[in-house]
Amino acid sequence: MFLTLLSVLSFYSKAMAEARERTFIMIKPDGVHRGLVGKIIKRFEAKGFKLVAMKFMWADKALLEKHYADLAGRPFFPGLVEYMSSGPVVPMVWEGLNVVKTGRVMLGATNPADSVPGSIRGDLCIQVGRNICHGSDAVESANKEIALWFGEKELVNWQPYPWQDLPDDYGKDGFSRINNLKQRFPHLKGAPPSKIVVGLPFYGRTFVSELEGKLGDSADSQGFKGPYSNEHGFMGYNEICSSLQNSSYDWKTEWHDESSQMVARYTDPVTRKGHSVTYDTTRSIANKIKFITRKELAGAMCWSIDTDDFKGSCPEENDTYADFGQYPGVKLNIPTAPKGSFKLLKTINEAMQLASVEWQQEKDIEFAKKQAELDKQNEIPHKETGNTASSLYKTVLPILLVLLPTIVIL
C-alpha cells in the first residue's frame, strides 16, 4: 500500500510538473513587420496554453549572439544575427501540458517547405530565412532561453477562470454569471471594482416570434435585420429610432423595470409574426451610469458611437432621469432631456455628474442620521426639573424653620 501511495504521489507530481511546463516562443522581425503577432498569439491561446510573459523589443546583437551561441560556428551565423537585429521582436513564455513539444508542432518545420498545412510556418511563410518564429526544442533549452530573455519578476504566475467547468444554465444575465462564479469558485477573488469597466451598448437585440413578441414568448433562432446594419438580430439605436417613426408598422413600446430597458414590438402584417427589439434608451443609459457610480467602478465604455443618434433624428426622451432624486432629502438640478445629435453620449456625460452629486448627498444624509443616533446613545440622562425642585423644597424648608428663631434672636 505504501508503494502504491508513493507511485500515485509520483504520478501526481509528474503530471503537475508537465502542466506547468514552459517554452520560449519568439516572433521574429518578419512576423512583426507582416502584422502576424496577433494571429500567432491567438493560435497558442486557442490551443489552451497560458501566456505568462511577453515583450515587444528591439534586441541588440550581444543578446542575440548569446541566444544563438550553439550556431556560432555556422557560416550563416553573422547573417542570422544581422537579420534578427534588423527589427523588433516579440519574445514570449507560454505554459501548459507538453507545451515545448506541442509548440514545435504548431510552429512547423524550420523550413516552411517541409511544414504541414495548418502549422504556423506551413500557412504563413515560404522562406527558411524568414520563418516567422523561434521555438524552444527541449525543456532544458526553454529554461535557458527564458532565463536569458526574462527576469524572474517578469514571469507572471496566474490562474485562468475555469470557464469549461461552468454549468449549462450559465449566462442568463450578467449578474447571475457573477453570482455563479462566486458560489462555485470562492477562491477566485475577481477583479477589484476600481479595475472594472462596464460596456454600454448603443444597440438593441431583435427577435422574431410566432406569438406577439412579448417578453417570455418563444423566439425563432434568428432575429430580424436592421435597415442599415443589415445584420440578423441587431439594430443600432439610430436604426431603432428610424424604425419606430415608420408609420407602416404599428410599434408598441414598453419600459421594463426589472431589466431597465425599453421593449418595442409590432406584428408583421404579412407573416403575422411578432417582431420585438430590446434596447437601451437615454433612461437606461443614465441608470447604468448611476449603477457604475454607486459601485465605484472604473468607468464605462460604449459600443459603438456610430450607432448613436448622430443625425439627431431620434425624438426627445423626457424620462431620461425619471429614476433620479427619489431618495428622501436629496435635492438635484435635473437637466432637461438630451437634444440634437448623439443623445446617448450626452446622457453619459450629464448622468456622470448627476449620479455623483446624488450619491454623495445620499451618503451625507445617511451619515447625518447615524451621527444623530450615536449622539442620542451617548447623551447623559437628567432627572426631571419638577421632581428636583420638589425634593429640594422638602429638604431645605425644615432647616430654615429650625434656624429662624436663632436668626431673629441675633
Side-chain angles (χ1 to χ4, degrees), residues 159-162 178 181-193 196:
Q159 291 299 322
Y161 283 106
I178 294 171
L181 280 173
K182 286 182 178 178
Q183 292 168 10
R184 289 176 61 82
F185 313 109
H187 62 286
L188 300 176
K189 302 294 184 181
I196 296 175

Side-chain angles (χ1 to χ4, degrees), residues 38-89:
K39 288 185 177 181
I40 294 170
I41 292 175
K42 186 176 181 180
R43 290 204 181 195
F44 278 85
E45 286 185 326
K47 185 67 176 176
F49 293 129
K50 183 175 69 175
L51 182 66
V52 296
M54 182 172 71
K55 294 179 182 178
F56 184 77
M57 60 184 292
W58 204 307
D60 58 39
K61 291 184 178 180
L63 177 60
L64 292 167
E65 286 172 353
K66 289 181 182 178
H67 178 80
Y68 289 111
D70 59 323
L71 301 175
R74 301 291 186 89
F76 58 80
F77 179 73
L80 174 63
V81 173
E82 187 69 29
Y83 155 66
M84 289 296 295
S85 62
S86 66
V89 295

Side-chain angles (χ1 to χ4, degrees), residues 375-390:
D375 292 344
K376 189 175 182 180
Q377 292 173 5
N378 295 332
E379 188 178 284
I380 300 174
H382 297 285
K383 293 182 179 180
E384 293 184 9
T385 305
N387 292 340
T388 303
S390 175

